[in-house]
Amino acid sequence: MSDYLCAMSTTDHISADRLIRTWVACGLTHAVVSPGSRNAPLILALSSHPSLEVVVALDERSAAHLALGMGIQSGRPALVVSTSGTAAVNHGPAIAEAFYQEVPLISVTADRPSRNRNWGLGQSAMQTGMFDAHTRWSCEVTEFQKDIHDLDEIARTAWGKSQQGPVHINISFDEPLYGQNEFVKGTGPVSEPLIFQMPETQQMPDDLQDIVCQHDPRILLHIGPVALGPSLSTEVDALIERCAVVADVFGAHGSGAESSTMRWMCGWDRQADEQWIPDAIVTVGLPPMDKRFRSLIVDWGVPHWHLGHEENDWNMFGSKVGQWRMDAKNGLNELADALPAFNGYAQRWEVRRIQLEAADMRSRNDEWVDFNVYRWLAEHLPKAGRIHFANSTSARYAQWFQWNASRLCANRGVAGIDGCLSTAVGDALMDSDTPVVAILGDAAWLYDLNGWHVNPRPNNLKIIVINNGGGNIFRWLKGPADSGLLERFFESGFATNVRGTAEQLALPYFLIDGWDSMETGFQSWANNSGSCLLEIQTPGEASANHVRNHCDTMGEWLRDS
């Protein structure tokens, strides 16, 4: 543990001081706190460690998503701290997202003394175990727990468990809350920092190997979103001629495989299913995004194995046989070695991918709509370290194109629109030397504005808001429009423009509202030296009709070719 100046002070609450000391010894580098009183001992303890980067976030929901973004960028847990009551409850959405993406995160919620919890005092809620369904481990630390060895063990356990997803510690503090002691150097944890042990690796399951080793095996590989680690594009490309592959851009960005399950289903002929049904399906990462594609595989009912060490027991298609517990990169290499170098079934899928690509190109036009705006951005965005896409239509459009970035990110665990901006902010703060871009719809932007109410703010995050009138995904679905209530209840068009929000947040603002202003507006935004906001206004109804017509036209071309 590093030496600190003797004059440094810390909280006089032993539990807060000890937990923070131990996490710093384990490797904690970043923390996010929200203003409050009950969490003052934790804030005082954090401030006694100059090596820590501590970010202040106004909104606890955004604060937890900031920590999520930090974990996605680094692969290490960030700490997020809240005061008591509903403030603590607001960590929930990010914890659920981290749970399903299996991203490291440590949530610490301050609480009133255990003896006062049913007294009806202000800022009180039932906080003990409130996130148990979406955490890898949780613990209650009462105001009576002062044994430093027990506290060290709690902190070390939390650190170890957090490597595979979020953990939650609820900690009680009695008043006074702001008392301080001198920070005494050399009083850190006696035990060595906990080293995370990777789960035991298994070879390819025997029953899957039996299928792989048969003559001309029909294997379908689906790569879903993968939050941590490098893109699996190299491993995927080695498999394209050996098995059928569909690889989500959020898991294998840059590969030559089909990246959009939505595009894959264009013009699909259920009468010809027999030639496409595999003997087995192997999945990596999160489930596929397109409902039609997912339903197709459910109907096929073929045996399914999931490759990876994930704790979540994904039964994506109702036909899961087992899990192949091996690192995805190594498992894909093993699969490539086991399959023949050329495979007729794989070739059939590759031919369809090429046909889809041709149909896609032939069906395009220059109408001013979302689809073409996303296509233009993919072709013109300068190199970025990471591009974050909000959920709903943004994440779906992202899959149609190749992007100029090292990695593409989206919160596809729960796949809500909350926290999409905050996650990108956390990523940018964690790695301030790398350009980061966030592409959001207007609804996702308005929903998470508090993600920019942070101190410090990143200078390396550029934001694009596609304003199509809000909730455009509901125009993709049959139900809302057929109900006659689409505009009144489903499509949340709350902002004609987002200029006012940019001014509120002191963000330089640029506007594009058609092809005539696209080039100049984009270059002004791209050339801005710091963080800034580009609003691109598009027609919502025309955009929804366009993507629907585009898919229909592709299908017609495929049937006629």
Side-chain angles (χ1 to χ4, degrees):
M1 193 173 186
S2 302
D3 289 344
Y4 299 95
L5 298 175
C6 292
M8 190 74 67
S9 60
T10 186
T11 178
D12 60 3
H13 285 264
I14 295 174
S15 56
D17 176 59
R18 203 66 192 182
L19 292 177
I20 301 302
R21 283 180 189 256
T22 306
W23 284 326
V24 170
C26 286
L28 179 69
T29 60
H30 286 70
V32 186
V33 301
S34 297
S37 189
R38 190 61 52 177
N39 59 343
L42 290 161
I43 294 173
L44 292 172
L46 288 166
S47 68
S48 68
H49 293 270
S51 64
L52 285 177
E53 296 287 341
V54 181
V55 178
V56 180
L58 173 66
D59 183 341
E60 286 82 6
R61 185 178 66 179
S62 295
H65 279 98
L66 256 73
L68 173 70
M70 292 174 175
I72 289 172
Q73 194 284 323
S74 67
R76 302 190 309 274
L79 178 68
V80 59
V81 172
S82 83
T83 190
S84 61
T86 52
V89 178
N90 277 323
H91 281 187
I95 286 175
E97 184 62 39
F99 179 80
Y100 287 112
Q101 288 200 68
E102 303 205 358
V103 173
L105 187 151
I106 300 174
S107 163
V108 180
T109 55
D111 204 348
R112 287 187 175 276
S114 55
R115 65 179 183 277
N116 298 145
R117 287 184 188 168
N118 293 318
W119 289 20
L121 301 176
Q123 290 185 286
S124 295
M126 302 299 290
Q127 296 176 206
T128 302
M130 64 179 167
F131 302 130
D132 280 358
H134 293 111
T135 51
R136 299 299 171 200
W137 185 77
S138 67
C139 179
E140 173 81 6
V141 177
T142 72
E143 65 273 23
F144 305 110
Q145 287 180 267
K146 298 181 180 181
D147 183 276
I148 61 173
H149 299 293
D150 290 345
L151 292 166
D152 286 354
E153 187 59 30
I154 289 170
R156 282 161 45 82
T157 300
W159 184 265
K161 296 288 187 181
S162 73
Q163 308 303 312
Q164 288 188 291
V167 301
H168 171 227
I169 293 180
N170 191 60
I171 181 168
S172 303
F173 295 118
D174 214 340
E175 297 182 16
L177 301 170
Y178 295 89
Q180 298 182 52
N181 285 332
E182 181 180 308
F183 187 101
V184 180
K185 63 180 180 179
T187 58
V190 176
S191 53
E192 291 295 319
L194 187 67
I195 299 175
F196 176 65
Q197 299 295 325
M198 284 297 295
E200 183 179 350
T201 294
Q202 299 173 348
Q203 298 304 306
M204 185 186 299
D206 290 343
D207 40 5
L208 175 59
Q209 192 166 32
D210 290 342
I211 297 174
V212 168
C213 293
Q214 68 188 18
H215 175 68
D216 203 26
R218 294 159 61 117
I219 305 298
L220 171 58
L221 171 66
H222 179 267
I223 308 292
V226 179
L228 304 179
S231 169
L232 296 169
S233 58
T234 301
E235 291 72 27
V236 166
D237 285 345
L239 280 158
I240 289 175
E241 293 186 349
R242 299 169 184 261
C243 67
V245 185
V246 177
D248 194 299
V249 294
F250 300 114
H253 166 58
S255 80
E258 176 57 50
S259 59
S260 171
T261 50
M262 179 181 176
R263 177 168 51 200
W264 183 263
M265 295 305 298
C266 290
W268 187 265
D269 181 6
R270 290 305 301 262
Q271 301 302 315
D273 265 11
E274 187 63 34
Q275 66 175 315
W276 301 106
I277 298 176
D279 300 321
I281 179 168
V282 176
T283 57
V284 173
L286 295 172
M289 194 178 300
D290 189 82
K291 289 182 179 180
R292 290 180 62 207
F293 181 82
R294 200 165 176 173
S295 297
L296 180 71
I297 298 176
V298 170
D299 290 345
W300 286 346
V302 297
H304 162 222
W305 284 267
H306 186 76
L307 170 60
H309 288 296
E310 290 97 329
E311 293 297 319
N312 295 315
D313 187 21
W314 294 110
N315 188 9
M316 302 178 189
F317 316 113
S319 58
K320 186 176 180 182
V321 175
Q323 183 156 349
W324 178 5
R325 292 194 174 275
M326 179 180 281
D327 173 77
K329 181 183 179 72
N330 293 329
L332 293 176
N333 288 332
E334 183 178 329
L335 183 61
D337 290 340
L339 288 166
F342 179 83
N343 178 271
Y345 179 69
Q347 183 64 23
R348 198 177 305 133
W349 280 69
E350 179 62 7
V351 168
R352 176 169 170 80
R353 184 196 67 78
I354 294 170
Q355 292 173 335
L356 282 166
E357 191 173 84
D360 188 0
M361 296 300 294
R362 288 174 64 96
S363 303
R364 292 180 181 181
N365 58 38
D366 292 326
E367 186 181 358
W368 178 250
V369 287
D370 286 357
F371 183 93
N372 291 329
V373 166
Y374 278 90
R375 173 165 59 89
W376 194 96
L377 291 173
E379 294 169 354
H380 291 84
L381 273 172
K383 178 72 173 181
R386 288 165 301 281
I387 303 177
H388 286 255
F389 291 87
N391 280 308
S392 198
T393 56
S394 296
R396 286 166 171 79
Y397 282 124
Q399 295 187 314
W400 283 75
F401 313 110
Q402 291 294 323
W403 299 83
N404 189 18
S406 301
R407 188 168 183 83
L408 306 184
C409 304
N411 285 340
R412 295 304 304 170
V414 180
I417 65 169
D418 46 348
C420 295
L421 171 65
S422 301
T423 304
V425 170
D427 179 339
L429 286 169
M430 193 73 175
D431 181 12
S432 59
D433 295 328
T434 301
V436 179
V437 174
I439 301 180
L440 319 168
D442 52 299
W445 166 252
L446 294 172
Y447 200 71
D448 196 29
L449 277 177
N450 281 347
W452 199 251
H453 285 299
V454 298
N455 185 19
R457 290 174 172 175
N459 292 317
N460 58 322
L461 175 62
K462 290 185 179 293
I463 302 164
I464 299 174
V465 174
I466 311 292
N467 187 350
N468 56 25
N472 195 246
I473 188 66
F474 293 107
R475 291 189 178 272
W476 293 26
L477 308 174
K478 293 181 179 179
D482 293 343
S483 72
L485 302 173
L486 174 64
E487 291 84 359
R488 176 68 177 89
F489 291 106
F490 295 99
E491 192 172 57
S492 52
F494 290 111
T496 304
N497 65 70
V498 300
R499 180 189 295 271
T501 61
E503 293 174 352
Q504 176 199 12
L505 300 171
L507 272 170
Y509 171 82
F510 305 91
L511 172 65
I512 295 170
D513 58 6
W515 291 123
D516 291 345
S517 57
M518 189 68 165
E519 186 68 35
T520 55
F522 180 81
Q523 288 303 323
S524 296
W525 169 83
N527 293 333
N528 188 276
S529 60
S531 294
C532 52
L533 170 64
L534 173 63
E535 178 180 6
I536 304 178
Q537 295 180 352
T538 58
E541 185 174 358
S543 292
N545 290 338
H546 177 92
V547 73
R548 190 163 42 245
N549 293 337
H550 182 78
C551 291
D552 290 344
T553 303
M554 283 181 61
E556 292 171 6
W557 188 89
L558 286 166
R559 284 188 290 270
D560 294 340
S561 62

